[in-house]
Amino acid sequence: MNKRKIIMDCDPGHDDAIAIILAAARQELEILGITTVSGNAEIEKTTMNALKICDLVSLTDVIVSKGASGPLVRVRETAPGIHGDTGLDGPELAEPSRSWSGEHGADTMIRLIKESEEPVTVLPTGPLTNVALALAKAPEIKDHIEEIVLMGGGTFGNWTPTAEFNIWADPEAAKKVFDSCIPTTVMGLDITHQAMASQEVIDQVNQIDNKVAKIVGELLEFFAETNKEMFDLDGGPVHDVLTVAYCVAPELFKMKEVNIVVETKGEFTAGTTLVDLHGVTGRERNAKFGLELDVEGFWNLMFESLKKY
Amino acid sequence: MNKRKIIMDCDPGHDDAIAIILAAARQELEILGITTVSGNAEIEKTTMNALKICDLVSLTDVIVSKGASGPLVRVRETAPGIHGDTGLDGPELAEPSRSWSGEHGADTMIRLIKESEEPVTVLPTGPLTNVALALAKAPEIKDHIEEIVLMGGGTFGNWTPTAEFNIWADPEAAKKVFDSCIPTTVMGLDITHQAMASQEVIDQVNQIDNKVAKIVGELLEFFAETNKEMFDLDGGPVHDVLTVAYCVAPELFKMKEVNIVVETKGEFTAGTTLVDLHGVTGRERNAKFGLELDVEGFWNLMFESLKKY
Amino acid sequence: MNKRKIIMDCDPGHDDAIAIILAAARQELEILGITTVSGNAEIEKTTMNALKICDLVSLTDVIVSKGASGPLVRVRETAPGIHGDTGLDGPELAEPSRSWSGEHGADTMIRLIKESEEPVTVLPTGPLTNVALALAKAPEIKDHIEEIVLMGGGTFGNWTPTAEFNIWADPEAAKKVFDSCIPTTVMGLDITHQAMASQEVIDQVNQIDNKVAKIVGELLEFFAETNKEMFDLDGGPVHDVLTVAYCVAPELFKMKEVNIVVETKGEFTAGTTLVDLHGVTGRERNAKFGLELDVEGFWNLMFESLKKY
Amino acid sequence: MNKRKIIMDCDPGHDDAIAIILAAARQELEILGITTVSGNAEIEKTTMNALKICDLVSLTDVIVSKGASGPLVRVRETAPGIHGDTGLDGPELAEPSRSWSGEHGADTMIRLIKESEEPVTVLPTGPLTNVALALAKAPEIKDHIEEIVLMGGGTFGNWTPTAEFNIWADPEAAKKVFDSCIPTTVMGLDITHQAMASQEVIDQVNQIDNKVAKIVGELLEFFAETNKEMFDLDGGPVHDVLTVAYCVAPELFKMKEVNIVVETKGEFTAGTTLVDLHGVTGRERNAKFGLELDVEGFWNLMFESLKKY
Ligand SMILES: [Ca+2]
Ligand SMILES: [Ca+2]
Ligand SMILES: [Ca+2]
Ligand SMILES: [Ca+2]
């Protein structure tokens, strides 16, 4: 079987962690490497969390490289209100068995893409700083990226009324990605809010009897609480997991080809994605945008994958 | 009975026209004056249309004053794709029986507010240029305005992916209004899209046997077609009519107090309203925002009012 | 003799006051009206100061109309550090013999321009709010304005590193004026800093034996002190006076036709004028810009004019 | 003698080339490495030019690393009107004897700074992309940079009315440098325009009888012509050379400590440096800014250095 080669560029983060867990369970994917970025928490924490999750799911021979410690140009902001102080509050996880690679995340991304015989899919689930740095240093990798499947943006916001956290945290990096002409697929809030880990979902996860599922249950419970508190949501939307699910089962997703640009200059709107659903701007299509999720299919994929552990 | 004193500041426009028709039918309201603005069409056309509608509903002793011929600072843009060349394409309307007042719309607004013994409610249903000019010339009127009930903005856009036409057409004017500290009530696209004049609605209007209802039916038919073509909507949302309906029957509206600011500086986002539904910005509440419409109640109000003609 | 018809739109202000004094002394000019604006001080103060100066130079039959109390869109800022609390600190001036007209400054400007048989020259020496309001209300006056000769902008700033006070105080209004296609002549800081009222100049003014000259001497002394303190200048540059001098004696001025645009959007640069001296932008010329003043000729004009009182 | 360790980050470019030539002649400096950036010409050309100049002055054991091929976020622009198609038109230079290092310029900068026992001075004379990338990847190098002495910005512009080319070409990178808290010294247009290579200067260079001086003479002649044509200057200002001269002979420079910020958001002003010479902004000082050059001393330093070849 020809596995799809992926690089996971993430800031774990509860949903990033579950995204790694899902990916590690899937035969359809080969994780070439994991690169971390500052976002939900500081870079030291997101890197530590990535290493811990790799141990949990036995990804110990996959390279983990620490990437950017802050956005390209702006001041760093994190999201402790959602992910807790460690960036992954909730479950108890053992200290990692190893350290990160010593190579910068952006360099690992460049190297893995260049070394791969087949085109590589990049799955950014944090701010897009590493991807932007990689494109800045080695623009020639564009031709060897099959697709960028990212979590970010949407037609509405969470961190501001119009901006989603990942794009808001580094708008210039996001602009660079959307302007890059690489095939880009976007899981924005419109579709990720459909993947709400309700109490019912958590209950089903908790019925799966293995250590990984137990941890996932604890992650979802913590995440549901903070999302309730901060955004008045009924459960935590497992945003980042959709990027992995899309690579495995695209048939669960109703997508639309649209133009997306990122605002970097506004007084109030920096980090806003303008998703041109109705073609009113006349700008060329440059992204596939997630409209509708087969919610039942998605959760079944999750449950089935967790049972493999 | 103590009638609520209103000034209608509009750019007719199909939905502006129906808003005037509804207001003229209601005993609860006293229309002090109508001021026109460039928006859906050029100022000469919107003024002509206002005069024609006044004739239609016998508002011949209400002053009609021509206002701003373009936005405060930016270049003028109109919306012929939605409202046709005249700004009110569809029905045949007789030439108006009189001319406009000769007083500038902003001056009429200032004068009527100052002359009124009771505080006045202003209903802007076009770009906010006249209101901004009135506030610029006579900031002291603020204390004599009971409420501004405007159509504009929303958590999504129509003219751009994030901006609604009225705000987009004059963002600086809108900013001035939202920063004014006058009690402001906002009918944005979120709620106006609930007031969709579907074929079923049009059929019911057409069953009302009087000249005014016949004209309204023709307006709605034209409007439904262009909204179908341009925005792929199932009927025309009678946006502006909600400002009048709210003054008459606020119980039909579920509102939320929020902070709203207007972006004037972005590369792509000028004219975007940031409606802080979840209080994530920490900015003070400065507006009531329409969330949910009692759709049946609203149309019944319309039908009942049209039957009075 | 055919006098040039002028309207002085000002925010006195020491240099505005001297500009009025110079204009009143000149046979070549007919002052149709004086309109005031918020700028150096609040509108009540600048209006009061204009009335006092009119009394001083017997301009008691020239209309004085109070205009805008703040900028078009932004928050009002004044300049007490330069002009003192009254906006005209220094000399003792009698209470004015009359009140302002009761007509808004922008309306007076519109009316006087429309009533004049000959085209009118407008001399704005404060923020451009009144001119912008007049253009917004009555764009048709453009064709009846011979020239706008304004003090504002330059290739460097005083209020910020790149912005001059008058433009900075209302960038949107300035943008409207520069985009208006009216022939515009600009006395920016580049040339007004050449008109420095040094101690030597003040001494010569003080040798002129009349009441008006005595007041001018006191104005210049106060102005020199605050300019020394705030900008480390050797004397006060009588910025606004150059607009009047240019109308009387254009041969004293070396001008260049250039393109000028006004920044309204920057994070740090709102109110900056971009004066394209070397044609690097490719944008069309829209203004005459003051490069070099015949300094001796200018002061001689001043001295000679003051001696007429 | 304790030599000052420097890294030259450049886009040769006539004045960059002469800066390298001056540095190579000086015993006071040790060139640790040369990194190239896209700017005056495309990255392939500026790298080729750096290699050629290294050959000319026998810097064959100094690493030359190719850096960024375009700005951090924006679209690349070059300056062929000033530097010709090759980026170094004028003299005939032999093909380089070697290729670039294979390490990215930003990585070379990081490595050399980390490897050096003493703090390193960085001399950027092109757009600041490489420095920004180095700071993004390895913020910890800040503490090991003694000083950044850069050519860029000023109180007026050349590429736009308010922006100088190097800053304008990558405003976001420049912002990152000025916000970095590294001691920064700025040779802006205010002082570099004092280092004008007039015909008299060129004549003196041409009287120095060696190959390097002959090439410098040819570079200056080409540069004078294009500067005459494009900016109407009397000779070419050898902007970049001042960064080297300052490291060797700071006594030739009158400097002022000021605050400098970079505009990244304006409609017309992106890339403008706001140099707060008079402290009007209240922002903290973050740079030394070049005010006045001992012109004779500067050229004598040049002549004397060229005679060493
Ligand atoms: Ca994430
Ligand atoms: Ca309307
Ligand atoms: Ca003034
Ligand atoms: Ca250079």
Side-chain angles (χ1 to χ4, degrees):
Chain A
M1 178 187 178
N2 204 352
K3 296 186 171 197
R4 186 165 183 175
K5 312 281 186 273
I6 67 169
I7 296 173
M8 304 188 75
D9 181 53
C10 56
D11 63 336
H14 293 69
D15 45 342
D16 305 79
I18 302 172
I20 296 172
I21 291 168
L22 175 60
R26 304 304 309 181
Q27 299 295 321
E28 301 92 337
L29 305 176
E30 179 183 347
I31 305 176
L32 299 183
I34 293 175
T35 55
T36 59
V37 67
S38 168
N40 291 330
E42 292 78 6
I43 185 65
E44 290 74 20
K45 295 177 182 171
T46 58
T47 308
M48 185 62 79
N49 294 338
L51 289 164
K52 287 176 178 174
I53 294 295
C54 281
D55 280 357
L56 177 70
V57 295
S58 307
L59 280 181
T60 43
D61 51 358
V62 169
I63 185 172
V64 172
S65 291
K66 187 168 80 169
S69 63
L72 268 197
V73 186
R74 299 183 183 236
V75 171
R76 185 185 58 208
E77 306 265 357
T78 56
I82 289 293
H83 298 277
D85 269 351
T86 66
L88 201 57
D89 275 15
E92 293 263 321
L93 290 165
E95 286 306 292
S97 63
R98 56 171 174 156
S99 183
W100 63 287
S101 72
E103 184 181 48
H104 190 283
D107 289 329
T108 298
M109 194 180 288
I110 293 169
R111 185 176 54 75
L112 292 174
I113 291 169
K114 287 188 173 178
E115 287 174 6
S116 171
E117 283 179 23
E118 295 160 52
V120 173
T121 296
V122 181
L123 274 62
T125 57
L128 289 155
T129 322
N130 285 339
V131 186
L133 284 173
L135 291 173
K137 277 194 63 184
E140 66 275 15
I141 60 173
K142 285 181 195 180
D143 297 333
H144 217 60
I145 297 178
E146 183 174 347
E147 188 177 4
I148 293 177
V149 182
L150 67 87
M151 192 279 134
T155 68
F156 56 94
N158 56 9
W159 221 251
T160 80
T162 59
E164 179 275 339
F165 179 78
N166 283 348
I167 307 296
W168 173 86
D170 197 346
E172 283 77 17
K175 176 182 173 64
K176 195 166 184 81
V177 171
F178 281 101
D179 290 356
S180 71
C181 299
I182 300 168
T184 300
T185 295
V186 178
M187 298 296 154
L189 295 176
D190 303 68
I191 197 163
T192 69
H193 272 203
Q194 299 172 38
M196 199 71 81
S198 62
Q199 193 53 52
E200 196 191 322
V201 164
I202 297 175
D203 290 345
Q204 287 199 255
V205 168
N206 285 338
Q207 282 165 24
I208 303 170
D209 186 24
N210 64 47
K211 189 183 167 193
V212 173
K214 181 174 165 296
I215 297 286
V216 169
E218 289 169 7
L219 286 169
L220 291 177
E221 259 161 37
F222 183 91
F223 203 46
E225 268 171 49
T226 56
N227 271 285
K228 173 76 189 165
E229 205 167 298
M230 194 150 174
F231 301 122
D232 200 28
L233 292 175
D234 255 359
V238 293
H239 311 283
D240 297 344
V241 184
L242 274 68
T243 60
V244 176
Y246 178 80
C247 290
V248 172
E251 68 278 7
L252 300 175
F253 293 77
K254 182 172 165 201
M255 309 296 290
K256 182 163 188 177
E257 292 205 35
V258 298
N259 175 273
I260 298 180
V261 293
V262 178
E263 177 66 65
T264 59
K265 292 189 172 171
E267 181 177 3
F268 301 112
T269 50
T272 300
T273 47
L274 290 98
V275 182
D276 189 6
L277 290 175
H278 302 295
V280 295
T281 66
R283 292 189 285 258
E284 264 185 52
R285 289 166 185 163
N286 64 347
K288 279 189 210 161
F289 182 73
L291 288 183
E292 212 181 310
L293 179 68
D294 174 343
V295 177
E296 199 185 333
F298 170 78
W299 288 117
N300 284 341
L301 177 71
M302 267 307 294
F303 302 148
E304 173 209 321
S305 303
L306 286 176
K307 283 173 191 162
K308 298 189 180 179
Y309 284 104
Chain B
M1 178 187 179
N2 204 354
K3 295 185 171 196
R4 187 164 183 175
K5 312 281 185 273
I6 66 170
I7 297 173
M8 304 188 76
D9 180 53
C10 56
D11 62 336
H14 292 70
D15 45 343
D16 305 78
I18 301 172
I20 295 173
I21 291 167
L22 175 60
R26 303 305 310 181
Q27 298 295 321
E28 301 93 336
L29 305 176
E30 180 184 346
I31 306 174
L32 298 183
I34 293 173
T35 55
T36 58
V37 66
S38 168
N40 292 329
E42 292 78 5
I43 186 65
E44 289 74 19
K45 294 177 182 173
T46 59
T47 308
M48 184 63 78
N49 294 338
L51 289 165
K52 287 176 178 174
I53 295 294
C54 282
D55 279 357
L56 177 70
V57 295
S58 307
L59 280 182
T60 44
D61 53 356
V62 169
I63 185 172
V64 173
S65 290
K66 187 168 81 171
S69 62
L72 267 197
V73 186
R74 297 182 185 239
V75 170
R76 184 184 59 207
E77 306 264 358
T78 56
I82 289 294
H83 297 278
D85 269 350
T86 66
L88 201 56
D89 275 15
E92 293 263 323
L93 290 166
E95 286 305 291
S97 63
R98 56 171 175 156
S99 181
W100 64 287
S101 72
E103 186 179 46
H104 190 282
D107 289 329
T108 298
M109 195 180 288
I110 293 169
R111 185 176 55 76
L112 292 174
I113 291 169
K114 288 188 172 178
E115 286 175 4
S116 170
E117 283 181 22
E118 296 160 50
V120 173
T121 296
V122 180
L123 274 63
T125 57
L128 289 155
T129 322
N130 285 338
V131 187
L133 284 173
L135 290 172
K137 278 193 62 183
E140 67 274 15
I141 59 173
K142 285 183 195 178
D143 298 331
H144 218 60
I145 297 178
E146 184 174 347
E147 188 177 4
I148 293 177
V149 183
L150 67 87
M151 192 278 136
T155 69
F156 57 92
N158 56 8
W159 221 249
T160 80
T162 59
E164 179 275 337
F165 179 79
N166 283 348
I167 307 298
W168 173 86
D170 197 348
E172 284 77 17
K175 177 180 171 65
K176 195 167 184 81
V177 170
F178 281 100
D179 289 356
S180 71
C181 299
I182 300 169
T184 300
T185 295
V186 177
M187 298 298 153
L189 294 176
D190 303 68
I191 197 163
T192 69
H193 272 202
Q194 300 172 38
M196 199 71 82
S198 61
Q199 192 53 51
E200 195 191 322
V201 164
I202 298 175
D203 289 347
Q204 286 200 257
V205 169
N206 284 338
Q207 282 166 23
I208 303 170
D209 186 25
N210 64 46
K211 188 183 167 194
V212 173
K214 181 173 165 296
I215 298 285
V216 169
E218 289 168 6
L219 286 169
L220 291 177
E221 262 161 37
F222 183 92
F223 203 46
E225 269 170 49
T226 56
N227 271 284
K228 174 74 188 166
E229 204 169 298
M230 194 150 174
F231 301 122
D232 200 26
L233 292 175
D234 257 358
V238 292
H239 311 282
D240 297 343
V241 184
L242 273 69
T243 61
V244 176
Y246 179 80
C247 290
V248 172
E251 67 278 5
L252 300 176
F253 293 77
K254 182 172 167 200
M255 309 296 292
K256 182 162 188 178
E257 293 206 34
V258 299
N259 174 273
I260 298 179
V261 292
V262 177
E263 177 66 65
T264 59
K265 292 188 173 173
E267 181 178 1
F268 301 112
T269 50
T272 300
T273 48
L274 288 99
V275 182
D276 189 6
L277 289 175
H278 302 295
V280 295
T281 66
R283 292 189 285 260
E284 263 186 53
R285 289 166 185 163
N286 65 346
K288 279 190 210 159
F289 182 72
L291 287 183
E292 212 181 310
L293 178 68
D294 175 344
V295 177
E296 198 185 333
F298 169 78
W299 287 117
N300 284 340
L301 177 71
M302 267 306 294
F303 302 147
E304 175 210 318
S305 301
L306 285 176
K307 284 174 190 161
K308 297 188 182 182
Y309 283 104
Chain C
M1 179 185 177
N2 205 352
K3 295 185 170 197
R4 188 165 181 176
K5 312 280 186 270
I6 66 170
I7 297 173
M8 304 188 75
D9 181 53
C10 55
D11 62 338
H14 292 69
D15 46 342
D16 306 79
I18 301 173
I20 296 173
I21 290 168
L22 176 60
R26 304 304 309 180
Q27 298 297 322
E28 300 92 336
L29 306 175
E30 180 182 346
I31 305 174
L32 298 183
I34 292 174
T35 55
T36 59
V37 67
S38 168
N40 291 329
E42 292 78 6
I43 186 65
E44 290 74 19
K45 294 178 183 172
T46 59
T47 308
M48 185 63 78
N49 293 338
L51 289 164
K52 287 176 178 174
I53 294 294
C54 282
D55 279 357
L56 177 69
V57 295
S58 307
L59 280 182
T60 43
D61 51 357
V62 169
I63 186 172
V64 172
S65 291
K66 188 168 80 171
S69 63
L72 268 196
V73 186
R74 298 182 183 238
V75 171
R76 185 185 57 209
E77 306 266 356
T78 55
I82 290 292
H83 297 278
D85 269 352
T86 65
L88 201 56
D89 274 16
E92 293 264 321
L93 291 166
E95 286 304 293
S97 62
R98 57 173 174 155
S99 182
W100 63 288
S101 71
E103 185 180 46
H104 191 282
D107 289 330
T108 298
M109 194 180 289
I110 293 169
R111 184 177 53 75
L112 291 175
I113 290 169
K114 287 189 172 177
E115 286 175 5
S116 171
E117 284 180 21
E118 295 159 52
V120 173
T121 297
V122 180
L123 273 64
T125 57
L128 289 155
T129 323
N130 285 339
V131 186
L133 284 173
L135 291 173
K137 278 192 63 184
E140 66 275 16
I141 60 172
K142 284 181 195 179
D143 298 332
H144 217 60
I145 297 179
E146 183 174 346
E147 188 177 4
I148 293 177
V149 183
L150 67 87
M151 193 278 133
T155 68
F156 56 93
N158 56 8
W159 222 249
T160 81
T162 58
E164 180 275 337
F165 179 78
N166 284 349
I167 307 298
W168 173 85
D170 197 345
E172 283 77 16
K175 178 182 172 63
K176 195 167 184 82
V177 170
F178 280 100
D179 289 358
S180 71
C181 299
I182 300 169
T184 300
T185 295
V186 178
M187 297 297 151
L189 294 176
D190 303 68
I191 197 163
T192 68
H193 272 204
Q194 300 172 37
M196 199 70 82
S198 62
Q199 193 52 52
E200 196 191 321
V201 163
I202 298 176
D203 290 346
Q204 284 199 256
V205 168
N206 283 339
Q207 282 166 24
I208 302 170
D209 186 24
N210 64 46
K211 189 182 167 194
V212 173
K214 181 174 166 295
I215 297 286
V216 169
E218 289 168 7
L219 287 169
L220 292 177
E221 260 160 37
F222 184 92
F223 203 46
E225 269 171 48
T226 55
N227 271 285
K228 173 76 188 167
E229 204 168 298
M230 196 151 173
F231 301 123
D232 200 27
L233 292 176
D234 256 357
V238 293
H239 312 282
D240 296 345
V241 184
L242 273 68
T243 60
V244 177
Y246 179 79
C247 290
V248 172
E251 67 279 7
L252 300 175
F253 294 77
K254 183 173 164 198
M255 309 296 293
K256 183 164 187 178
E257 292 206 34
V258 299
N259 175 272
I260 297 179
V261 293
V262 178
E263 178 66 65
T264 58
K265 292 189 173 173
E267 181 177 1
F268 301 112
T269 50
T272 300
T273 48
L274 290 99
V275 181
D276 188 6
L277 290 176
H278 302 296
V280 295
T281 65
R283 293 189 284 258
E284 264 185 52
R285 290 165 185 164
N286 65 346
K288 279 189 211 159
F289 182 72
L291 288 184
E292 212 182 310
L293 179 68
D294 174 344
V295 178
E296 199 186 331
F298 170 77
W299 286 117
N300 283 341
L301 178 71
M302 268 306 294
F303 302 147
E304 175 209 320
S305 302
L306 286 176
K307 284 176 191 162
K308 297 189 180 182
Y309 284 107
Chain D
M1 178 187 179
N2 205 353
K3 295 185 172 198
R4 186 165 184 176
K5 312 279 187 272
I6 66 170
I7 296 173
M8 303 187 76
D9 181 52
C10 56
D11 62 337
H14 292 69
D15 46 342
D16 305 79
I18 301 173
I20 296 173
I21 290 168
L22 176 60
R26 303 306 309 182
Q27 298 296 321
E28 301 92 337
L29 305 176
E30 180 183 348
I31 305 175
L32 298 183
I34 293 175
T35 54
T36 58
V37 67
S38 167
N40 292 329
E42 291 78 7
I43 186 64
E44 290 74 19
K45 295 178 183 172
T46 59
T47 308
M48 184 64 78
N49 294 338
L51 289 164
K52 287 176 179 175
I53 294 294
C54 283
D55 280 357
L56 176 70
V57 295
S58 307
L59 280 181
T60 44
D61 52 356
V62 169
I63 185 172
V64 172
S65 291
K66 188 168 79 170
S69 63
L72 268 197
V73 187
R74 298 182 184 237
V75 170
R76 185 185 57 209
E77 305 265 357
T78 55
I82 289 294
H83 297 278
D85 269 351
T86 65
L88 201 56
D89 275 15
E92 294 263 322
L93 291 166
E95 287 304 292
S97 63
R98 57 173 174 156
S99 182
W100 63 287
S101 72
E103 184 180 47
H104 190 283
D107 288 331
T108 297
M109 195 181 288
I110 293 169
R111 185 175 54 75
L112 292 174
I113 291 169
K114 288 189 171 176
E115 287 175 5
S116 170
E117 283 181 21
E118 295 159 51
V120 173
T121 296
V122 181
L123 273 64
T125 56
L128 289 154
T129 323
N130 285 337
V131 187
L133 284 173
L135 291 172
K137 277 193 63 183
E140 66 275 14
I141 60 172
K142 283 182 196 180
D143 297 333
H144 218 59
I145 297 178
E146 184 176 344
E147 188 177 4
I148 293 177
V149 183
L150 68 87
M151 191 280 133
T155 68
F156 56 94
N158 56 8
W159 221 249
T160 80
T162 59
E164 179 276 337
F165 179 79
N166 283 349
I167 307 299
W168 173 87
D170 197 346
E172 283 77 17
K175 177 182 172 64
K176 194 166 185 83
V177 171
F178 281 100
D179 290 357
S180 72
C181 299
I182 300 169
T184 301
T185 295
V186 178
M187 298 298 152
L189 295 177
D190 304 67
I191 196 163
T192 67
H193 272 203
Q194 299 171 38
M196 199 70 81
S198 62
Q199 192 53 51
E200 196 192 320
V201 164
I202 298 175
D203 290 346
Q204 286 199 256
V205 168
N206 284 339
Q207 283 165 22
I208 303 170
D209 186 24
N210 65 46
K211 189 184 168 193
V212 173
K214 181 173 167 295
I215 298 286
V216 169
E218 289 168 7
L219 286 168
L220 292 177
E221 260 160 38
F222 184 91
F223 204 46
E225 268 170 50
T226 56
N227 270 284
K228 173 74 188 167
E229 204 169 299
M230 194 151 173
F231 300 123
D232 200 28
L233 292 176
D234 256 358
V238 293
H239 312 282
D240 297 344
V241 183
L242 274 68
T243 61
V244 176
Y246 179 80
C247 290
V248 173
E251 67 279 7
L252 300 176
F253 294 77
K254 183 172 165 199
M255 308 296 291
K256 182 163 189 177
E257 292 206 33
V258 300
N259 174 273
I260 297 180
V261 293
V262 178
E263 177 67 66
T264 58
K265 291 189 173 174
E267 182 179 0
F268 301 111
T269 50
T272 300
T273 48
L274 290 98
V275 182
D276 189 6
L277 290 175
H278 302 294
V280 296
T281 65
R283 293 190 284 258
E284 264 186 52
R285 290 165 185 163
N286 65 345
K288 278 190 212 160
F289 182 73
L291 287 183
E292 211 181 311
L293 179 67
D294 175 343
V295 177
E296 199 186 332
F298 170 78
W299 288 117
N300 284 340
L301 178 71
M302 267 307 294
F303 302 147
E304 175 209 320
S305 302
L306 286 177
K307 284 175 191 161
K308 297 188 181 180
Y309 285 106

